Amino acid sequence: MNWSLRNGIHSTTTIFLLFFVCVYAKIVCFHAFVFGVDDFSQIIYFSKLVPALFFAAFIHVTKRRWWTIALAVLVDVWAISNLIYFKANGVMLNVETILLADNMDGFWSSVWNYVDWQSFVFLGITVVYALCVWFLKDGKKRNRKAFAICLFFVALFHFFDLEFRREVAAFHSKHKQKEIYDKYGKYSIFFRDAKYKAEGNHWRGMEDYIEKNTIIHYFPAQFVYHIYQKNFRNQNIEFSSKDSALVVNRICIPSVKPKANENLFIILIESLESWPLNLTDCNGVEITPTLNSFAKQASLVALRCKSQVKRGVSGDGQLIINTGLLPTQSSVACMAYGTNTYPNIAQYFKSSCTINPCPNVWNQPVVNSRYGYKKLVENDSVAGDSAWLNDAKIFTLATQALDSCESPVCMQILTFSTHIPFEIQTTDNLVFQNDMPEELAKYLHALHYTDSCLNIFLTKLLNNQQFANSNIVITGDHTIFKPYKWQSYTGFVEKYKLPIPTEESFCPLLIVSDQKSRIFIQDTCYQMDIFPTLLHITYLQDSYWNGFGINLFNGGERTISEDSAYYISNKLIMANYFDKIPVSQEQ
């Protein structure tokens, strides 16, 4: 290294190599943290080398070095932000989710919960590189010939990568990948997949694009994606004959609009998972005594209800349950398409309202009416106020709202105390193992608190003669513990032989209604099944839209796969399809 200091060109070359390794290491680390590396060839594809070589090439055309450190930090910010968002939601950031930053007021503690050692790996690489730059700061020399050679190799890598993918596509032609590359191959490798996905042709989303390319490719690509998608919203979405077949059998316009005759209460408990039900602490105290008791008298119990939310998380949970549609694949439906016309169940009730703990979050003032609710009851606290996180206050608002509701009423109650990072202050006497992971213990304490608040509300509700025979639905808006998190808890779970999942989590679905049969569903069901099940228990099967799921009381075979439901739901929402459905006459 000292020899390099005495030779400017060699010092420049050293910086070039170090910066190339710095950027490439970040690319490889991100790929490994998000996708894993079962096959070493996954991290040496030509596309992985291109951005590292491209940025490092500019070292040969400038005498300054500080910009490389600044760029390394920017890569860190972008990679860490996407890593955190992926851990929280299973998807990557895009323009629309970035623009939703103001929705995070009061939620930033949830973000820090996903910061772990992996985030510091990126920063560590930058620190090591910055120290190297500092010690090599004396050697500075421009070499435009070297810059041209680097760009030549960038172009060459692009060419080989394109040809490699064409060969793979040809090999898998039965999946029509070859047609994809034939159609979009004229676009830059940075953008062709982005355009293809923006047109609504690929349903894994941009995560697949990043896996094939890099997190650095994704930065410009997602802006291109956003532009294309924004343009498509102003165009007519084409439905093929196959698309139409997926929809036509699920829409039937009755001559007279049906009306509900029974009350319906939908209680969406934030981050409610199934495994804590019937779980006890070290002294045998139930974590969820109210939910356990409710399940014993429920007409339907399903403990393996698969969460189908995407980028909208809680907002998506409300969308699925209230409309029978699945969320869009690349945006947040309640934000990007909040003013759409949606099928819903609340429109059939004489009175309806949503009890919302978080003002202005997930575009609630707009979508609440679009989901058919006539009234929105919000907490008057502001973000950051500790009372804002208090489910006791939320259920108090719900109890007070009952006085102004006329039967039949549809009321949706959204809780909050079990929102990550589970910071609610409780005074319960639960006792857990000393080595229980702190996050699990905090979640169980928070859930125990919410369960006690729920008990007070249900007691008052069932003692109110006007609502004594209501249909009551309790479920979670989404799960909270992802597979990667369970993997870190495996040792604890196995040590105490706890009935806690170590792979996939599910939401419970508990329904009390006047159905004579009592059904316990052991198989996996889906959130999209809730909407048609609600129509069944409220005798609204004549609704013009019955959703993509099945009525869980009747069972039966599914006529559409989950992937197909995502695919066609995406088109229906983007096209504002239900705005074109004629409205049947009132009774």
Side-chain angles (χ1 to χ4, degrees):
M1 184 171 289
N2 290 331
W3 180 75
S4 295
L5 288 172
R6 295 192 301 269
N7 298 274
I9 185 170
H10 291 292
S11 177
T12 300
T13 302
T14 303
I15 292 292
F16 163 78
L17 293 174
L18 287 172
F19 189 53
F20 173 81
V21 171
C22 172
V23 176
Y24 184 69
K26 295 174 189 292
I27 290 170
V28 171
C29 286
F30 187 87
H31 190 284
F33 294 156
V34 174
F35 306 109
V37 184
D38 298 326
D39 181 2
F40 185 71
S41 65
Q42 293 179 16
I43 62 173
I44 59 173
Y45 285 159
F46 290 117
S47 63
K48 301 291 189 292
L49 300 171
V50 165
L53 181 60
F54 177 76
F55 289 128
F58 286 90
I59 288 173
H60 294 294
V61 296
T62 176
K63 293 182 178 181
R64 294 179 176 84
R65 301 289 183 259
W66 63 265
W67 68 268
T68 62
I69 300 175
L71 182 59
V73 172
L74 291 175
V75 171
D76 290 342
V77 171
W78 181 240
I80 293 172
S81 298
N82 276 277
L83 182 63
I84 291 174
Y85 198 78
F86 182 81
K87 288 180 177 181
N89 303 312
V91 291
M92 300 296 175
L93 287 169
N94 64 8
V95 174
E96 290 178 331
T97 50
I98 293 172
L99 294 176
L100 294 178
D102 59 341
N103 272 258
M104 292 300 298
D105 289 342
F107 291 86
W108 288 109
S109 58
S110 302
V111 174
W112 306 129
N113 188 73
Y114 293 100
V115 176
D116 56 18
W117 65 271
Q118 292 179 343
S119 301
F120 293 100
V121 169
F122 297 96
L123 298 175
I125 294 172
T126 299
V127 170
V128 172
Y129 171 73
L131 291 174
C132 292
V133 171
W134 174 260
F135 287 114
L136 289 172
K137 62 182 180 180
D138 292 332
K140 301 176 181 178
K141 187 174 181 179
R142 290 180 293 183
N143 190 335
R144 298 187 185 279
K145 184 177 180 180
F147 174 70
I149 292 173
C150 289
L151 293 188
F152 169 77
F153 277 103
V154 167
L156 192 65
F157 286 165
H158 272 305
F159 172 78
F160 279 117
D161 185 64
L162 178 60
E163 291 305 309
F164 172 78
R165 295 193 194 190
R166 285 185 183 278
E167 291 297 322
V168 173
F171 181 76
H172 296 288
S173 59
K174 62 181 180 180
H175 299 299
K176 297 186 178 181
Q177 281 109 327
K178 187 176 185 299
E179 288 85 342
I180 294 169
Y181 286 102
D182 286 342
K183 181 177 179 181
Y184 298 94
K186 61 181 179 290
Y187 293 96
S188 164
I189 191 173
F190 279 87
F191 306 134
R192 64 167 183 257
D193 285 358
K195 183 178 187 298
Y196 171 65
K197 292 170 179 61
E199 291 180 351
N201 292 309
H202 188 63
W203 304 114
R204 187 182 170 195
M206 294 303 284
E207 292 69 44
D208 184 65
Y209 177 80
I210 296 173
E211 186 175 12
K212 291 179 179 177
N213 298 285
T214 70
I215 186 62
I216 297 177
H217 284 85
Y218 180 55
F219 183 78
Q222 55 97 21
F223 283 98
V224 173
Y225 177 89
H226 178 72
I227 294 171
Y228 274 119
Q229 187 184 55
K230 191 173 181 179
N231 290 338
F232 293 149
R233 289 177 192 160
N234 299 323
Q235 299 176 8
N236 291 325
I237 304 298
E238 295 183 1
F239 286 80
S240 66
S241 57
K242 183 178 179 181
D243 296 338
S244 299
L246 293 174
V247 179
V248 68
N249 294 331
R250 291 171 171 81
I251 293 181
C252 181
I253 308 300
S255 58
V256 178
K257 182 178 179 180
K259 287 187 177 181
N261 294 315
E262 297 188 356
N263 303 306
L264 175 62
F265 291 88
I266 303 171
I267 304 175
L268 285 183
I269 298 181
E270 172 68 33
S271 306
L272 177 62
E273 299 193 359
S274 296
W275 59 269
L277 272 66
N278 299 314
L279 190 70
T280 61
D281 73 347
C282 294
N283 295 327
V285 177
E286 293 179 303
I287 306 300
T288 58
T290 304
L291 289 174
N292 296 342
S293 176
F294 187 86
K296 291 177 182 177
Q297 58 181 312
S299 306
L300 183 143
V301 176
L303 298 182
R304 293 177 60 85
C305 186
K306 182 180 178 181
S307 173
Q308 295 177 287
V309 303
K310 292 293 183 181
R311 297 179 187 275
V313 198
S314 296
D316 285 349
Q318 295 173 45
L319 170 79
I320 298 168
I321 292 169
N322 283 285
T323 71
L325 294 168
L326 292 180
T328 51
Q329 298 297 289
S330 60
S331 58
V332 178
C334 63
M335 303 298 295
Y337 304 98
T339 57
N340 277 18
T341 299
Y342 288 97
N344 60 78
I345 194 171
Q347 63 179 310
Y348 300 118
F349 290 78
K350 187 172 184 179
S351 62
S352 57
C353 67
T354 293
I355 311 299
N356 176 42
C358 310
N360 300 320
V361 173
W362 296 129
N363 204 20
Q364 201 70 56
V366 173
V367 297
N368 190 65
S369 62
R370 294 296 176 170
Y371 295 163
Y373 291 96
K374 299 179 177 65
K375 188 176 181 182
L376 177 63
V377 180
E378 293 187 319
N379 195 330
D380 56 5
S381 300
V382 296
D385 185 349
S386 59
W388 187 54
L389 307 176
N390 193 321
D391 277 354
K393 186 168 185 178
I394 293 168
F395 282 113
T396 296
L397 290 174
T399 303
Q400 294 171 347
L402 290 175
D403 297 332
S404 59
C405 292
E406 295 183 70
S407 293
V409 59
C410 178
M411 178 181 289
Q412 176 181 226
I413 303 172
L414 313 175
T415 75
F416 191 84
S417 292
T418 45
H419 194 287
I420 198 169
F422 324 121
E423 294 291 354
I424 188 69
Q425 299 297 319
T426 64
T427 57
D428 62 57
N429 297 316
L430 295 178
V431 178
F432 300 114
Q433 294 85 354
N434 292 331
D435 56 345
M436 173 178 276
E438 181 183 8
E439 189 174 42
L440 280 182
K442 290 169 65 176
Y443 175 70
L444 294 177
H445 281 295
L447 185 57
H448 186 72
Y449 166 76
T450 295
D451 186 86
S452 65
C453 298
L454 174 63
N455 180 57
I456 296 173
F457 173 75
L458 289 179
T459 300
K460 292 182 179 179
L461 175 66
L462 297 177
N463 287 334
N464 187 320
Q465 192 61 37
Q466 183 181 3
F467 306 109
N469 297 318
S470 298
N471 297 292
I472 305 174
V473 179
I474 300 177
T475 188
D477 53 356
H478 56 79
T479 58
I480 191 62
F481 294 103
K482 309 301 179 186
Y484 87 92
K485 182 67 72 173
W486 285 127
Q487 292 173 7
S488 64
Y489 297 155
T490 300
F492 171 78
V493 172
E494 293 179 348
K495 178 180 178 180
Y496 294 101
K497 295 181 173 58
L498 297 175
I500 297 178
T502 54
E503 294 182 358
E504 185 175 6
S505 299
F506 295 93
C507 295
L509 174 61
L510 311 174
I511 299 177
V512 166
S513 71
D514 63 356
Q515 303 297 309
K516 295 181 180 180
S517 59
R518 174 172 165 78
I519 298 176
F520 188 91
I521 299 176
Q522 295 181 329
D523 296 332
T524 299
C525 61
Y526 299 89
Q527 275 187 315
M528 65 181 180
D529 296 331
I530 297 178
F531 183 80
T533 303
L534 296 186
L535 292 176
H536 172 77
I537 64 175
T538 52
Y539 302 98
L540 292 170
Q541 297 94 325
D542 290 336
S543 168
Y544 68 90
W545 168 251
N546 283 273
F548 291 111
I550 62 173
N551 169 18
L552 294 175
F553 279 97
N554 290 342
E557 293 188 8
R558 298 185 182 279
T559 58
I560 185 171
S561 67
E562 182 184 20
D563 286 344
S564 294
Y566 272 122
Y567 166 80
I568 197 63
S569 285
N570 193 82
K571 280 198 166 184
L572 292 174
I573 294 174
M574 289 178 66
N576 197 10
Y577 186 89
F578 292 94
D579 189 51
K580 306 173 182 64
I581 300 295
V583 179
S584 50
Q585 297 180 351
E586 298 282 350
Q587 290 182 353

